[in-house]
Amino acid sequence: MLKSIRMNVVVCSTLLLLCFAASANGQKTSHAPVTPTPAPAPAPATDYVNLADLLSVAGPFHIFLKYLESTKLIDTFQDQANKTEEGITLFVPKDEAFSSIRKPASLSNLTQDQLKSVISFHAIPHYYSLSDFRNLSLNNPIPTFAGGPNFGLNFTDNAGTIRIDSGWTSTKVISAVHAADPVAIYETDKVLLPTAIFGTDIPPLPPAPAPAPAAEAPAADTPSAASDKGSSSSSSSSSSHSNSAATNIVHGHHVTVIVGMLLMLLCR
């Protein structure tokens, strides 16, 4: 009986110890500090590029901007600049370039679709920095927004001078108005005209002014030559008369001497 009571006490003690141990472990677990997982940082927002603002400030490019807005291409180019990974490259003529377009090329005679193609011809659906043009000529012609094989541009880089050939127009990049990915805007001194619209019958350049003729000796039949000839003849004739008179005087003197000598001989 006594042995049984001891046994029960040992069992109860063991159970109590196990309960206290479990309670202590539970308290340690419940009071352990929980470190929050930091949220990922948001991706930096890309600055919105407003092409209309850039073209309004620089240049002036008012005429080109006017064509962009009238053809609704400003929205197309804005989306390309801000909503794609490719970016955009624009070649923008200054205002005076439009007034120097040689006939028969004229933007005023184009249909709305043709005008839209001409303006699209000034944009490439990819961002190109100035250094990219060094090897770009290897892939000529470079396609433009106008699309099609007849609306490509040819580039050459000659010691840093970037030239553009449209087939009708040959021009060069004057300066970089804006060159930060995803938008590049380069100023040109001429409007890019595609042969797909204006044909290949390119008018020749106006001839260079002829140099002023060098002064020449007057011809024989000119009044000054005749005058010179008359003066020369007159001088020659006057000299001839002078010589003849001198000869006659000498001859007369000789005759007088001879006659005198004869008279002296006869008088003796």
Side-chain angles (χ1 to χ4, degrees), residues 187-211:
E187 176 189 338
T188 63
D189 58 355
K190 292 181 182 178
V191 180
L192 300 176
L193 303 177
T195 55
I197 293 177
F198 296 95
T200 57
D201 188 16
I202 303 172
L205 293 172

Side-chain angles (χ1 to χ4, degrees), residues 32-38:
V34 178
T35 304
T37 303

Side-chain angles (χ1 to χ4, degrees), residues 251-261:
H251 288 170
H253 179 69
H254 289 170
V255 170
T256 301
V257 172
I258 293 172
V259 170
M261 291 178 67

Side-chain angles (χ1 to χ4, degrees), residues 159-221:
T161 300
I162 302 166
R163 299 204 64 86
I164 311 170
D165 189 354
S166 72
W168 182 285
T169 308
S170 179
T171 183
K172 64 181 178 179
V173 171
I174 302 299
S175 64
V177 179
H178 181 89
D181 197 0
V183 175
I185 300 177
Y186 300 111
E187 176 189 338
T188 63
D189 58 355
K190 292 181 182 178
V191 180
L192 300 176
L193 303 177
T195 55
I197 293 177
F198 296 95
T200 57
D201 188 16
I202 303 172
L205 293 172
E216 297 180 357
D221 57 350

Side-chain angles (χ1 to χ4, degrees), residues 98-170:
F98 288 90
S99 60
S100 63
I101 297 177
R102 290 179 291 141
K103 294 181 179 181
S106 175
L107 301 187
S108 60
N109 297 330
L110 300 180
T111 65
Q112 187 68 9
D113 288 340
Q114 289 175 326
L115 180 60
K116 189 173 183 178
S117 295
V118 171
I119 302 303
S120 299
F121 194 50
H122 290 73
I124 298 176
H126 186 82
Y127 170 79
Y128 289 109
S129 66
L130 287 173
S131 59
D132 292 332
F133 288 99
R134 295 173 185 170
N135 299 320
L136 200 60
S137 60
L138 300 176
N139 300 319
N140 283 334
I142 305 301
T144 65
F145 261 97
N150 296 325
F151 286 95
L153 292 172
N154 296 303
F155 295 89
T156 56
D157 184 354
N158 185 9
T161 300
I162 302 166
R163 299 204 64 86
I164 311 170
D165 189 354
S166 72
W168 182 285
T169 308
S170 179

Side-chain angles (χ1 to χ4, degrees), residues 41-65:
T46 304
D47 292 337
Y48 181 84
V49 179
N50 192 313
L51 297 178
D53 287 348
L54 289 175
L55 295 176
S56 298
V57 173
F61 303 119
H62 301 310
I63 296 179
F64 187 79
L65 179 57

Side-chain angles (χ1 to χ4, degrees), residues 236-252:
S236 176
S237 176
S238 176
S239 176
S240 177
H241 287 306
S242 299
N243 292 336
S244 177
T247 303
N248 291 335
I249 292 172
V250 172
H251 288 170

